[in-house]
Amino acid sequence: MLRGYQGASIYVTDMNARMLQRFYDMGIRYITTRSVGYDHFDLDKARELGIRISTSPYSPDSVANYSIMMILMACRRAGQIMDAYRMQDFTLPGKRGKDISSATVGVIGTGQIGRTVLKHLSGFGCRLLACSPHEYDEAKQYARYVNMETLLRESDIITLHCPARENTYHIIDEQAIRQMKDGVILVNCARGTLIDTEALVSGLEAGKVGAAALDVVENEYGLYYNSFVRQPMANRELALLRSFPNVYLTHHTAFYTDEAVREIDENAVRGCVLFDRGEPNPYEVC
Ligand code: NAI
């Protein structure tokens, strides 16, 4: 597909040094990723080869609203209730949930998505805390900015909306989980590497973490967006997570709405055209 072209548009796929070199050897000089995150690129290698990369931004509503859905599903034990219903188990034990309106929700990262989560959550009447290196006036209308320690200590529900960077790698580790409230609900619709999966599994085993809702997991590349029906899957951490009834897993689908896909596709093509014309590309990251 790539041979004979200078530009390519890709999904979230592992663009390591080898892959970039192959793209380069086939003549590709610019790549637009159909995502806002770009941590799947080896940026140093891209710079070395002179391959330019841009993202395809889109409305934060899709991911923000999906995150709120995940919060509500975990709070109300939606998975257990729906599984039981399928078995015609209409009893109540094990299905009692927690009401979001009386909870304190901590939002880590108040960029586009985090701020939208805060705005939309404010309608539920819950107490909102936020933590982010940059504080936005818009977020202050709905939430109180606190430091990470306070957010971890006071939140009943914690939702992550910061990018995968070196300084956010495993920001939720054993020590962070230890500081959280007993029975905390942890939601991650950002990037898998933000959470140390082993620490999360220990937290779930100990009952410290009451529920987790994860649209992203560590080492999801190569698994998510492929079918493994009737095949073994090489990801032990994921297998462990799947064994918990109070863990909600989806395969990086938070963004996936008609509206978002339309915007993503338009911006991906726009990015390629701008590169091709040599015009400035506002979404260029390298
Ligand atoms: P953004 O760049 O607008 O916001 C990220 C925010 O995180 C910034 O305000 C930044 O200051 C903050 N941040 C950075 N380091 C932090 C730290 N150590 N602690 C707390 N906050 C920190 O990005 P946007 O559009 O809001 O997206 C957030 C993330 O969501 C993306 O980076 C991407 O990884 C993820 N995402 C996931 C999707 C999915 O389908 N599950 C789809 C789209 C994005």
Side-chain angles (χ1 to χ4, degrees), residues 12 35-39 58-60 62-63 66-67 107-116 131-136 145 148 160-165 167-169 171 188-192 194 215-216 220 225 250-256 264:
V12 178
S35 60
V36 287
Y38 52 91
D39 48 285
Y58 52 97
S59 160
S62 56
V63 182
Y66 196 94
S67 308
V107 174
I108 300 181
T110 56
Q112 300 261 17
I113 295 171
R115 291 203 301 282
T116 308
C131 165
S132 205
H134 184 86
E135 300 189 0
Y136 293 85
Y145 274 106
M148 183 79 161
L160 303 174
H161 300 288
C162 47
R165 301 269 190 277
N167 67 336
T168 57
Y169 181 77
I171 52 167
N188 187 6
C189 290
R191 283 294 181 268
L194 301 180
D215 185 48
V216 286
E220 67 181 50
Y225 307 147
T250 55
H251 56 280
H252 206 142
T253 45
F255 74 98
Y256 203 45
I264 291 168

Side-chain angles (χ1 to χ4, degrees), residues 116-228:
T116 308
V117 167
L118 286 171
K119 184 171 136 198
H120 293 185
L121 273 181
S122 68
F124 286 94
C126 40
R127 179 174 170 247
L128 294 169
L129 301 177
C131 165
S132 205
H134 184 86
E135 300 189 0
Y136 293 85
D137 288 340
E138 189 199 346
K140 287 182 190 165
Q141 291 177 52
Y142 312 110
R144 185 162 65 90
Y145 274 106
V146 293
N147 60 26
M148 183 79 161
E149 206 184 303
T150 308
L151 186 141
L152 297 177
R153 201 180 51 235
E154 295 190 12
S155 302
D156 301 294
I157 300 160
I158 296 173
T159 180
L160 303 174
H161 300 288
C162 47
R165 301 269 190 277
E166 252 167 53
N167 67 336
T168 57
Y169 181 77
H170 286 181
I171 52 167
I172 303 300
D173 58 7
E174 196 193 323
Q175 198 198 344
I177 291 174
R178 209 178 312 125
Q179 292 176 69
M180 294 176 192
K181 277 189 172 181
D182 290 344
V184 65
I185 291 173
L186 203 50
V187 176
N188 187 6
C189 290
R191 283 294 181 268
T193 55
L194 301 180
I195 299 182
D196 177 350
T197 312
E198 220 175 289
L200 173 61
V201 167
S202 302
L204 286 158
E205 282 170 342
K208 175 78 184 175
V209 177
L214 312 170
D215 185 48
V216 286
V217 288
E218 287 190 280
N219 307 315
E220 67 181 50
Y221 296 128
L223 290 183
Y224 285 181
Y225 307 147
N226 292 305
S227 172
F228 289 86

Side-chain angles (χ1 to χ4, degrees), residues 81-98:
I81 293 171
M82 286 155 95
D83 283 350
Y85 197 99
R86 254 175 242 127
M87 304 295 288
Q88 302 186 133
D89 166 7
F90 304 137
T91 64
L92 285 175
K95 290 146 196 157
R96 194 166 72 194
K98 285 189 187 350

